[in-house]
Amino acid sequence: MGKNTKIIKSLWGNFIFSFLISWKSSSKLFIVRIVMEIFSGIHPVLLLYLVKLLIDSISNNLQPEEKINNAIIILITIFIIEFVVIILTRLGDIVNSVHTDKISNYINIQTMEKSKTLDIAFFDSPDFYNILQLAQRDSNSLHVFSWLSLNLIKSFVMITSTFLIMVKLFWGFPILIILLSVPAVLMENKFMLHLYNWGIKRVPEERKMDYIRSILTTREYAKEIRLFNIFDNLINRYNKYWRMWFDEKLQITKKKGLWVSISAILPQIGVVVVTIYVTINIIYKKSTIGDYSLYTGSSAELIAAISSLIHSITSIYDNSLRIDNYRKFINLKHVIATTGKKIPDKKINIEFKNVTFIYPNTKNKILDDMNFKIDCDEKIAIVGLNGQGKSTIIKLILRFYDPTNGEILINGLNIKEYDLVELRKLFGVVFQDYSNYAFTLRENIGISDLKSINDDARIINACEQSGMENLLYKWDEGLEAYLTKKFEDSGKELSGGEWQKIALARAFFKKSEFIILDEPTSSIDPEAESNLYNKISTLCEGKGALFVSHRLSSIIMSDRILVIKKGKLHESGSHKDLIKLGGFYSYLFNLQAEKYNLS
């Protein structure tokens, strides 16, 4: 397929794509805008013709009374048309503004809906963030493209109507003006493509600038930036990336300005030729005086229409390239298959069978031929050094990723056979990198089970289970207290340990059949940690549970401990069995026991 064919195919695809979005966002406003654009394309030519009739009526040999009557009729018609145009222009501003807002909202929702379908693996890839950056930056091109496409209709109507008028004078004139306009189109397209390619190349710099802006204006980094006095260093970094970004763009913009200006002069030659020709015709009485205003005005309108068309085409081409970026994001395909239909039983047994896992775009095996089973009511702890695959096991159970090799079985069936949403409903989880939400306390906890978010008794019970009941009762607003000051001056600022208790309460609020806690007490003081683990047997009674913790004293109560080393299951057994074994677990435990006098 040739390059031009690909461009035309892409343009046509983007026309359809943008028109569909315009239609879906508001079909009524879309139709109104098309009608208004068609009228605005006919209006200038109609006025030119009426002015010609007015001039000819005044300058011919009719009686004065007849001239006045004709003039009045024409002037009233012109007045009515102008009045309608004024009303439609004001109405058009409103329609365009409202439709643009609707399109923007549709795009935002579509983007968020798309992000819901993307696998966690996408968020581990720098390439994905480049795609996302381009999609977010260029999504605005959709409503611009839609507007330009409608403006294209207007330009075509104007060109057709002026062309038909000028053909009566001489068929070669409109063709001459159109041909002289071609270099401007070519120059605009050339530099538009150049700027687009430059923009793609400079996305990494844009992301770095955005990142530096964000850390200089975000509370999360405020203390360390002031402590280390790195404002100037970061601003210098920003200026370095900006200079790389700006200098090259400036050179392209200068060249574009020069060549586009030169090519824009050429169509005016055609206007001069038309003006001379019609003037001579009037002198030799081959044309009327009104023809002068008609044909010179039509020439000007034709150039204006061609100029508008050139602008629309080049802008459409530029925005089409940008829409390609947005469509590339929208067309991303998830890897985790969601075709499973089976509904899992509430009581689940989990089995890892020869599971090997390598993160996408990496080579190192995080898990290597892993085999183990977890019964439905077992309390299992996973132990190991950092980076040995403990959290990865949790991600695989939740199907954030699929194994590279081997399979995970739930009640004897491959995990892929289960409905993904129903599968994840079984698990109440506190992640190591749990999330904090700038919502109310109720929303922060109830977000794990929105159907029951107004069940105060359940929320309070979850607070008590996680050890944060004192936090709940110290605020007058209670459950409606807003957390963080991001949106509310009265918002409550919490410590890391308090946020972690909220994350725990969120997991307990969700009535799950299997509890997963990944470093659930890393920010909690030792007393609160001890109280929490003393409750865990009660909280998880009749349920399966999986714990990951570096504090080995906290997992003594586990039914079984899985010791992970270099991605393999190194040891397995109860605390007493593993201590008696005197292996790697015993070494780690005794190392901590010496530090904390736990022996």
Side-chain angles (χ1 to χ4, degrees), residues 250-261:
L250 181 61
Q251 294 303 315
I252 298 171
T253 304
K254 285 180 178 178
K255 290 180 181 178
K256 178 186 175 183
L258 174 63
W259 288 106
V260 170
S261 297

Side-chain angles (χ1 to χ4, degrees), residues 121-134:
F122 282 105
F123 298 91
D124 295 331
S125 168
D127 290 339
F128 166 73
Y129 287 104
N130 286 339
I131 293 172
L132 181 61
Q133 173 89 359
L134 287 169

Side-chain angles (χ1 to χ4, degrees), residues 11 152 185 189 308-318:
L11 279 170
L152 204 61
V185 176
N189 281 342
S308 176
L309 183 67
I310 291 170
H311 172 74
S312 296
I313 289 173
T314 52
S315 297
I316 281 171
Y317 183 59
D318 175 51

Side-chain angles (χ1 to χ4, degrees), residues 159 210 242 323:
I159 289 172
D210 288 345
W242 184 86
I323 290 172

